[in-house]
Amino acid sequence: MVRSQPNIIITGTPGVGKTSHCDLLAQATGLKHLLINHLVKERGCHNGYDEEFQSWVVDEDKLLDAIEDEVKQGGYIIDWHACDLFPQSWIDLVVVLRTESNHLYDRLKARGYTELKLQENLDSEIMEVLLSEARESYDEEIVVELPSNEDGDMEENIERIETWVQNWKQNN
């Protein structure tokens, strides 16, 4: 199926600003914001709740089945902390947001994360887990790493991605 609009993944460790970026980008481009965390709960794409990590245990097959028809049509911004499960044929751009550890710590602490969850996410950011995952799962030319430390970063990132969307539409 030929798409008239691109699909973008905005990924990164919890607390880097994925949802804020996606909300603004959806407003700027008209693309639809697909918040995977909400969809997992709403459509039952999980195998229960993990009390220790305070998160849903996602059934990736159910999730992909639940969104396949929509996403294949194009025009989505996928907001999630993982990206490797989405087929490369669905995705046109992968944006990995990165945040310096001191900023991330403050954001996660403000959310009330447990020490275990906080440390797991800080370790993931420091070890570049999601950036590596993106680079291993998608062609190098569609993976972009962007900073998300200050408010000005978000504005610059939105402008950059918005320009990319306009170029994609002209060339596809």
Side-chain angles (χ1 to χ4, degrees):
M1 170 184 287
V2 176
R3 291 184 268 117
S4 61
Q5 296 192 78
N7 286 322
I8 300 169
I9 296 175
I10 306 286
T11 191
T13 306
V16 297
K18 295 179 298 295
T19 301
S20 297
H21 274 77
C22 290
D23 284 343
L24 290 174
L25 189 59
Q27 291 173 17
T29 63
L31 300 176
K32 296 175 216 87
H33 180 183
L34 192 60
L35 187 57
I36 298 297
N37 283 340
H38 290 167
L39 191 138
V40 164
K41 289 182 272 188
E42 290 170 3
R43 298 190 190 178
C45 302
H46 60 82
N47 295 318
Y49 192 77
D50 183 324
E51 291 295 337
E52 183 178 15
F53 287 99
Q54 299 177 340
S55 63
W56 293 99
V57 179
V58 177
D59 182 323
E60 293 180 358
D61 291 330
K62 281 184 187 175
L63 173 61
L64 291 176
D65 288 346
I67 65 172
E68 180 175 11
D69 291 341
E70 295 162 81
V71 175
K72 279 187 169 181
Q73 293 176 32
Y76 285 91
I77 305 164
I78 300 171
D79 174 349
W80 205 30
H81 62 270
C83 65
D84 62 341
L85 72 147
F86 302 104
Q88 185 165 329
S89 62
W90 294 9
I91 306 303
D92 302 292
L93 179 67
V94 179
V95 176
V96 182
L97 297 176
R98 301 295 312 281
T99 300
E100 294 171 6
S101 298
N102 59 325
H103 293 292
L104 186 60
Y105 179 88
D106 292 344
R107 292 176 191 175
L108 297 179
K109 196 75 169 165
R111 288 183 178 185
Y113 275 34
T114 64
E115 196 59 38
L116 176 67
K117 193 170 180 180
L118 198 150
Q119 195 57 54
E120 179 188 43
N121 285 300
L122 284 171
D123 290 348
S124 177
E125 184 67 10
I126 291 166
M127 301 297 290
E128 299 184 341
V129 170
L130 295 170
L131 180 60
S132 296
E133 179 183 287
R135 288 179 173 159
E136 291 169 7
S137 302
Y138 300 95
D139 292 337
E140 181 180 334
E141 62 270 10
I142 73 165
V143 178
V144 179
E145 175 185 7
L146 297 176
S148 181
N149 296 302
E150 310 293 336
D151 288 342
D153 291 338
M154 190 175 338
E155 293 169 13
E156 288 177 26
N157 294 342
I158 296 304
E159 288 176 19
R160 182 173 174 181
I161 299 167
E162 189 176 5
T163 299
W164 180 91
V165 169
Q166 292 166 353
N167 290 336
W168 187 94
K169 288 179 177 180
Q170 290 174 355
N171 296 321
N172 290 283

